[in-house]
Amino acid sequence: MRPPTRIPRQAPNPYDELARLAPPEYDVAEVSRDRDPLDPAATPARAHDPAGTGPGIASDRDDDPADAWSPPDHRGRSRFGSLSLAVKLTLTLVVGAAFLLLADRAAAMYAQEKAADKLQQSLGLATRPDVDIHGFPFLTQVAAKRLDRVDVTVPDVPAGRVSLDEVRATARDIRVEGSLPDSLQGAVVGRLDGDVLLSFDDLGRELGASQVKFTDAGPDSVHIAGSLPVAGHDLRLRARAHIANEGGRSVATTVDGIRLDIPGVATYRPGKDRAHSGLRLAPETASAIARSKDQARAMLQVPAVVKALGVPEEQVRRALRGEDELARFTGRPGFVRQLMNVNLVDVVAANPRIMKKAGVDPALVDAVLNLRPPELSDRLSLSFELPRTPGDVRLRDIRVEREGIRAELVGSGLEIGGNG
């Protein structure tokens, strides 16, 4: 039989285990008693440490304000306050620079608006230009009253009979008159360069020939094709325009190779070279006349036609005596081509009745012949001239591109508003 288990009279003190870990200078028993609320023998720490400075034991003395207890501060510290001085200075500089940048750009934008208004008023532009002032900082340029670079884009600039689709220019070394940005009076441009564009898309509308299309035909030539209404008929138009620089301020145009086709009837080429100009029958009409005895007889009764054919008159008289002879004469090889080479300009004027019998409308032919070469050239001219501006502004390197006619723009001493 096992002996009964001995029950201790008092539960073990947990601080006894901690006592083994305490340094030798600590009075573990005293600490244990002081901190054991169940030990009736426990005494406050100052009973064993009158000064209240025992190691690891807080003093209960309240005669020293520095030792007074205060509640903990749970509000937390500011993030900016926790930064170092160098970081604070850097952030301050960045914020200040951002404000200066915004102020500088705001002043530049306001000055751009004022400059656009002044430019439109000074040059008499119908459309307000787009002005872009370069350079940073802008305010230092304002203080010096000089701008490094200004880009200007002006749409739809009148230039004689046509309008330039776009004028782009870059002005440099600009001396400002007045106070920027709010009291701009004028400016003097030291140097100007850019380009102008006469758009092919707008030429038909500008010239009143909306059915005519312009395309590039080389560095200095423009191909013209389309239709032209004449006497109630739409005639096919072909021509070529050559461009050249004229005095550095305008583009001159020479139009040649004009050809008007009366569909299925005739072709008219104006000009003084009678070997290649004049009114000539189309292949369809010449073939129809050769097959028709009445039309062929009517044409052979005109002396000017017989002379233009270049055949002996005796053959013509023999052909007019009988239908068989006429058929052999008009059916021989080369007759249709000979008939197409006849210039009908004089024939129509002298024999309108015979031409009508041959299937050619004299009224239509007369209307075509009244289209004189100078009038046609003027209607198809692509010439333009720069608006008059104070200062030396010129065109150079004029060329034909896919979009239209483009020229470089150069100048100096251009005055905008003010007194210069």
Side-chain angles (χ1 to χ4, degrees):
M1 186 174 189
R2 296 177 60 184
T5 302
R6 186 181 298 271
I7 299 175
R9 287 179 296 180
Q10 186 177 354
N13 191 338
Y15 292 102
D16 292 339
E17 296 293 331
L18 296 176
R20 300 188 184 96
L21 303 177
E25 62 270 15
Y26 278 80
D27 189 349
V28 178
E30 292 296 332
V31 174
S32 176
R33 284 196 303 271
D34 289 343
R35 293 188 178 182
D36 187 1
L38 300 179
D39 189 358
T43 57
R46 61 173 167 261
H48 305 280
D49 187 6
T53 57
I57 301 175
S59 173
D60 290 341
R61 298 179 62 182
D62 54 0
D63 53 348
D64 190 356
D67 295 334
W69 178 87
S70 61
D73 186 4
H74 297 287
R75 291 174 297 177
R77 299 179 63 187
S78 170
R79 293 185 177 180
F80 185 79
S82 63
L83 298 176
S84 64
L85 179 60
V87 175
K88 291 179 181 180
L89 291 176
T90 302
L91 290 176
T92 303
L93 291 176
V94 170
V95 173
F99 276 112
L100 289 176
L101 176 61
L102 290 176
D104 189 88
R105 291 299 89 195
M109 292 177 63
Y110 183 75
Q112 289 171 175
E113 297 294 323
K114 299 290 289 185
D117 293 337
K118 178 63 67 174
L119 189 62
Q120 182 180 11
Q121 177 184 0
S122 176
L123 300 181
L125 302 175
T127 307
R128 191 170 183 268
D130 182 22
V131 178
D132 185 11
I133 300 177
H134 291 259
F136 178 81
F138 169 71
L139 295 176
T140 59
Q141 300 181 72
V142 171
K145 290 192 174 183
R146 281 192 176 274
L147 301 179
D148 297 331
R149 171 185 168 186
V150 177
D151 291 342
V152 179
T153 302
V154 187
D156 298 328
V157 178
R161 296 179 61 235
V162 298
S163 295
L164 300 176
D165 181 67
E166 184 180 74
V167 176
R168 295 183 301 177
T170 297
R172 303 180 188 275
D173 190 20
I174 305 112
R175 189 178 76 249
V176 178
E177 296 179 356
S179 300
L180 283 172
D182 57 343
S183 299
L184 177 64
Q185 298 177 4
V188 178
V189 177
R191 181 164 59 91
L192 182 75
D193 58 85
D195 60 51
V196 300
L197 174 65
L198 179 62
S199 173
F200 285 149
D201 293 337
D202 296 335
L203 276 176
R205 172 178 53 82
E206 297 281 352
L207 300 177
S210 58
Q211 297 177 341
V212 176
K213 184 178 181 180
F214 301 86
T215 55
D216 64 296
D220 62 350
S221 300
V222 179
H223 180 67
I224 305 171
S227 61
L228 191 67
V230 177
H233 297 267
D234 287 333
L235 308 187
R236 289 197 297 266
L237 170 67
R238 298 289 187 276
R240 183 180 291 266
H242 306 275
I243 62 172
N245 193 338
E246 190 173 76
R249 293 197 54 82
S250 62
V251 173
T253 308
T254 303
V255 180
D256 59 17
I258 300 176
R259 170 177 170 173
L260 287 172
D261 292 328
I262 305 173
V265 178
T267 298
Y268 174 59
R269 291 184 176 91
K272 297 181 179 180
D273 185 3
R274 296 185 64 85
H276 300 91
S277 63
L279 180 67
R280 304 178 189 277
L281 293 174
E284 300 91 332
T285 303
S287 298
I289 292 175
R291 293 191 303 267
S292 172
K293 297 182 178 63
D294 293 339
Q295 292 180 357
R297 187 177 290 109
M299 291 293 292
L300 293 176
Q301 289 176 353
V302 180
V305 174
V306 175
K307 183 179 179 179
L309 289 175
V311 297
E313 293 184 6
E314 180 60 30
Q315 291 184 13
V316 176
R317 287 194 296 267
R318 189 166 50 246
L320 294 176
R321 292 191 189 115
E323 292 186 358
D324 292 341
E325 291 292 333
L326 180 62
R328 281 194 292 271
F329 182 81
T330 57
R332 62 188 175 84
F335 176 76
V336 172
R337 183 165 295 278
Q338 286 178 327
L339 196 58
M340 290 174 57
N341 288 330
V342 176
N343 191 343
L344 300 178
V345 172
D346 299 329
V347 175
V348 172
N351 305 276
R353 184 181 62 81
I354 294 178
M355 292 304 302
K356 186 174 183 178
K357 190 174 182 180
V360 180
D361 184 4
L364 175 59
V365 174
D366 186 61
V368 171
L369 296 179
N370 285 330
L371 294 174
R372 302 302 179 187
E375 179 184 348
L376 281 173
S377 297
D378 288 342
R379 293 183 65 176
L380 301 176
S381 176
L382 310 179
S383 302
F384 64 87
E385 183 178 0
L386 287 178
R388 291 292 176 181
T389 57
D392 183 19
V393 180
R394 294 182 175 274
L395 295 172
R396 70 180 184 186
D397 190 21
I398 302 173
R399 60 194 182 277
V400 179
E401 298 179 348
R402 184 176 60 87
E403 296 84 1
I405 301 174
R406 189 180 297 276
E408 290 187 12
L409 188 68
V410 295
S412 60
L414 177 63
E415 299 179 5
I416 303 172
N419 298 321

